[in-house]
Amino acid sequence: MSAQVICQDLRLWDAYRRANLPQEREAMNSLGEDIATKALEEDAEPELREIAVEHAGEPGVSADAMIPWCTENTEASNPTSPW
């Protein structure tokens, strides 16, 4: 899975988190699990895979820990993204 795809999903996850709306929590949790699963795939970026392994079973913690890497190594396709 390409880092760009994982990081785009991560940006959406972060938007859900920042919105802090109860009705979005299920979507955020589901997306967090998807991000962790994609990061664990064999063809995923090694650094993202390492983070996912380190925080296995904690998709929210894993997603949060991936933000600095994505900020530094990918560009958002949405110009309003905060990172």
Side-chain angles (χ1 to χ4, degrees):
M1 184 61 52
S2 84
Q4 188 65 35
V5 170
I6 292 170
C7 292
Q8 285 303 105
D9 286 351
L10 190 57
R11 285 177 173 88
L12 179 57
W13 175 87
D14 189 47
Y16 283 138
R17 181 178 65 162
R18 289 172 186 270
N20 197 28
L21 299 172
Q23 64 269 28
E24 301 291 354
R25 190 162 311 278
E26 186 176 328
M28 182 186 84
N29 291 338
S30 177
L31 188 56
E33 291 172 9
D34 288 346
I35 291 165
T37 299
K38 288 176 184 176
L40 289 170
E41 291 180 4
E42 190 173 307
D43 62 341
E45 183 68 36
E47 290 88 350
L48 295 177
R49 189 176 328 108
E50 184 178 316
I51 292 168
V53 168
E54 182 180 339
H55 300 289
E58 301 175 292
V61 174
S62 178
D64 194 44
M66 291 180 194
I67 289 174
W69 188 92
C70 287
T71 301
E72 189 170 315
N73 294 285
T74 63
E75 290 189 27
S77 60
N78 182 345
T80 63
S81 177
W83 51 273

